[in-house]
Amino acid sequence: MVMSTEPLPTNLYESLLSKLAIVLELTQKSDGIVTPQAKRALLQATNDFKNAINQAKELAASLPGGEMLVEEQDEVIAMLENLRDRKRCAMFFISSPLLVELLTQFSSQPLAAEGLSAQDAKMEIDSMASTPFHD
């Protein structure tokens, strides 16, 4: 399939209905298709309609983006929706006043080891290392 870079000719698709109507009119005439002239006209109209259908199919098949199956497209859409929802949730959480308040409270608390001297901190670490189980 050759991909076309030209815009899709909508007039081709619009003409399909009128071409089909001509075929139907020729088959519904009161004198039918018994004369050679009527048969030729019907054959010409039918071939014209068939050629337009084939051309429309080729153009539709050459449109970009038709490489994926419907199931694959559904998977990609679901993944993109999931990503969008996670980003929305993250943006909501980041901009939440509650988060700002919690971070402010946390940052204003002194660190546990701040009041300890270097020797006390070393002793604390040593005692923790020798304790077999911590909660």
Side-chain angles (χ1 to χ4, degrees), residues 18-116:
S18 64
K19 291 178 188 291
L20 178 60
I22 291 170
V23 171
L24 293 174
E25 283 175 13
L26 290 172
T27 60
Q28 302 299 318
K29 281 189 172 182
S30 60
D31 60 342
I33 53 169
V34 292
T35 66
Q37 183 181 2
K39 287 181 182 181
R40 273 193 304 274
L42 180 60
L43 179 63
Q44 178 60 40
T46 304
N47 285 337
D48 191 28
F49 178 66
K50 183 175 77 170
N51 291 336
I53 288 282
N54 287 335
Q55 187 179 5
K57 283 181 183 179
E58 286 176 17
L59 288 171
S62 69
L63 287 173
E67 300 86 21
M68 296 174 67
L69 298 174
V70 174
E71 295 83 17
E72 293 169 327
Q73 292 174 21
D74 290 342
E75 280 182 34
V76 170
I77 290 169
M79 287 188 296
L80 290 172
E81 287 173 343
N82 186 4
L83 180 63
R84 177 202 61 202
D85 294 344
R86 287 193 332 225
K87 283 185 176 186
R88 282 182 182 168
C89 183
M91 290 305 295
F92 174 75
F93 184 70
I94 288 171
S95 64
S96 166
L98 178 61
L99 177 65
V100 172
E101 182 182 333
L102 289 172
L103 289 173
T104 303
Q105 287 176 1
F106 179 76
S107 65
S108 66
Q109 294 177 353
L111 295 175
E114 214 174 66
L116 300 175

